[in-house]
Amino acid sequence: MRKILLICIEMLYSSLSHASALYFYEVATEDTALAGAGQAARAQDASTIVTNPAGMTRLPDRMFTGGLQMMDGDISYHDDNSRQESPGNVLDIFPNASGFYSQKVNDRLHAGIGLYGNYGLGVDFGNWSGQRLIKKSTMVAMTLSPSLAYQLNDRLSVGGSVNLNYGYLSLIRNVDGHDEKAKDHDWATSYRLGLLMQVTEQTRGGITWTSKTDYDFDVKGKARFPDLPNTEYSLPISAQVRAPQQMMISVVHDLNKNWSLMGDLGWQDWSQFGAPQITVKGERVNKNNRMKDTWHTAFGVQYHPSEQWRLNAGVGFDSTPYRSQSDVALTLPTGDEWRFGTGVQYQITPASNIGMALEYLHMQSSQVQKPTQLKGHYDNPYLWFTSVNYSYQF
């Protein structure tokens, strides 16, 4: 979850929306209802562009999928100094939208394009002891993904996407009683490769690799406090706008025409980002790597009571990117994450369907040790996702 904050999609988000630590799997599709389970192997609508572009070879000749999403919850920061006012819940309600289109070019080649919010967050710390460093912040990002998929044979397909990511960051801090706003935007490029295999008539598997994404925002991240005029604090803005490379392996197995089981195993390379933390000029800073790679697993089930209805449910787990929850970054609060999702799809006509989903995400509590003037803790943060989606076959 990002704070400056990103709370990090694939957002929303990266693919984003997507996943552990700062990634989100929720992109206003059935991934929300299934807690991401089977994402690289399902390929049930055009949103497969963001989970596994090779899945386009399973789709009809032309298909559109779009969705709307809302994120809310409670990420409250409590200052350990009882004489200082705590910010409380810093999370603002955050909306999101997505759209995907896939088209068959010939018997083996498919092309598609996706536009989606891969992550983003609006946070408000309000009037608190650290308002000279950060008071309000908004990070929004959109990704455009031109994609291709090719069917090598009846059982194997490959695909790839070039992701053009646009990010906008604004940061408000209070300086001498006045709010000062800094803002910037940047473009970043990332890539996604996917493979989809029909293992048996009832089982298929998928593998997706996504490269890292780096934004470069020119926003001043330094501040001084009145009681410590000779001490300068630096906010690790660069650490908040990175998304590491990741690998996802998914399996979907159809038990019969009514029941399908699915699961995931994923990895994200968070250890490459070292130790994002507020640094203090003139003070010795621990250079040890506070972050580690994360692992993801999920299990989901789909039930088809009739040709018109499809019911979804899933549970997912993502490990914390921190080596210790007693020493996390103020602007990057996260930990072990549990997801619980459910939803329903309804086939309106043979060519169109609509769906709704609800998901609850619970994060592990964490403590902030530095800087000592802002020492505090995040207790049992959680998020809610609600989404609607619509698909149409031309």
Side-chain angles (χ1 to χ4, degrees):
M1 326 280 105
R2 279 181 199 211
K3 282 181 158 157
I4 270 197
L5 280 175
L6 299 174
I7 277 186
C8 307
I9 206 0
E10 156 7 186
M11 189 279 125
L12 257 156
Y13 358 44
S14 162
S15 299
L16 281 256
S17 161
H18 288 330
S20 82
L22 310 184
Y23 270 121
F24 283 122
Y25 306 105
E26 301 77 11
V27 192
T29 62
E30 285 184 272
D31 288 313
T32 305
L34 291 161
Q39 60 179 284
R42 263 184 292 114
Q44 291 175 311
D45 58 47
S47 69
T48 189
I49 289 172
V50 77
T51 53
N52 186 350
M56 288 190 291
T57 59
R58 287 182 53 85
L59 302 182
D61 289 354
R62 291 181 296 169
M63 188 175 194
F64 168 80
T65 299
L68 299 173
Q69 181 184 16
M70 188 73 70
M71 179 182 72
D72 198 7
D74 189 307
I75 301 179
S76 295
Y77 187 66
H78 304 280
D79 199 315
D80 285 349
N81 189 338
S82 60
R83 294 174 297 178
Q84 298 179 160
E85 184 178 0
S86 293
N89 183 20
V90 301
L91 178 67
D92 287 339
I93 294 176
F94 195 88
N96 186 46
S98 61
F100 305 91
Y101 176 76
S102 172
Q103 180 168 329
K104 184 177 182 179
V105 178
N106 57 44
D107 289 343
R108 293 188 179 273
L109 182 65
H110 288 245
I113 191 166
L115 179 63
Y116 53 94
N118 59 340
Y119 51 68
L121 185 66
V123 295
D124 186 354
F125 281 80
N127 298 315
W128 73 301
S129 54
Q131 62 183 347
R132 277 179 167 262
L133 196 61
I134 177 173
K135 187 175 181 180
K136 296 181 181 180
S137 180
T138 300
M139 168 65 192
V140 292
M142 292 296 293
T143 298
L144 183 68
S145 294
S147 307
L148 290 174
Y150 187 78
Q151 187 174 8
L152 298 174
N153 53 50
D154 291 341
R155 292 189 176 274
L156 187 63
S157 298
V158 295
S161 301
V162 176
N163 305 316
L164 306 176
N165 308 283
Y166 174 81
Y168 171 83
L169 173 69
S170 70
L171 176 65
I172 297 176
R173 66 182 83 213
N174 187 286
V175 181
D176 298 327
H178 301 283
D179 286 348
E180 293 187 358
K181 183 177 181 179
K183 60 182 180 180
D184 196 17
H185 63 91
D186 190 31
W187 289 90
T189 304
S190 60
Y191 308 93
R192 184 177 302 111
L193 299 175
L195 182 148
L196 186 68
M197 177 179 293
Q198 191 72 40
V199 183
T200 69
E201 291 301 317
Q202 282 108 354
T203 305
R204 63 183 178 274
I207 301 176
T208 306
W209 170 82
T210 304
S211 69
K212 69 175 182 178
T213 305
D214 282 306
Y215 289 104
D216 183 15
F217 292 119
D218 185 18
V219 174
K220 182 180 179 182
K222 300 182 183 300
R224 295 179 186 272
F225 292 88
D227 54 340
L228 296 170
N230 297 320
T231 303
E232 185 177 67
Y233 293 81
S234 295
L235 200 66
I237 291 177
S238 61
Q240 311 312 128
V241 292
R242 292 172 169 175
Q245 65 171 326
Q246 66 166 328
M247 184 81 70
M248 185 69 67
I249 302 174
S250 301
V251 175
V252 174
H253 179 69
D254 300 324
L255 293 175
N256 50 49
K257 66 178 183 179
N258 299 113
W259 291 93
S260 297
L261 304 179
M262 55 205 67
D264 289 336
L265 181 62
W267 164 83
Q268 295 177 357
D269 190 17
W270 283 105
S271 61
Q272 66 174 303
F273 293 151
Q277 59 186 303
I278 295 173
T279 57
V280 184
K281 186 177 181 180
E283 180 180 306
R284 185 183 179 91
V285 178
N286 185 0
K287 297 295 184 179
N288 292 334
N289 192 334
R290 294 194 301 167
M291 302 194 78
K292 62 180 181 179
D293 293 350
T294 62
W295 294 92
H296 160 81
T297 187
F299 174 79
V301 59
Q302 285 189 335
Y303 174 58
H304 303 252
S306 67
E307 293 184 0
Q308 285 75 36
W309 292 95
R310 182 164 69 227
L311 308 181
N312 297 302
V315 58
F317 173 79
D318 291 275
S319 64
T320 176
Y322 286 107
R323 296 184 182 277
S324 172
Q325 289 302 115
S326 63
D327 185 21
V328 309
L330 170 69
T331 52
L332 195 65
T334 187
D336 290 343
E337 299 173 358
W338 281 95
R339 285 173 163 81
F340 303 91
T342 187
V344 60
Q345 296 289 129
Y346 177 70
Q347 197 72 33
I348 306 171
T349 69
S352 64
N353 70 77
I354 190 170
M356 299 182 64
L358 176 68
E359 184 190 80
Y360 171 74
L361 186 157
H362 179 82
M363 281 183 283
Q364 186 179 8
S365 299
S366 57
Q367 294 179 318
V368 175
Q369 301 292 341
K370 292 184 179 181
T372 55
Q373 290 77 12
L374 305 179
K375 184 178 178 181
H377 53 279
Y378 291 96
D379 285 340
N380 299 311
Y382 65 86
L383 298 174
W384 284 101
F385 297 91
T386 58
S387 67
V388 295
N389 58 80
Y390 175 79
S391 293
Y392 185 79
Q393 303 176 27
F394 296 88

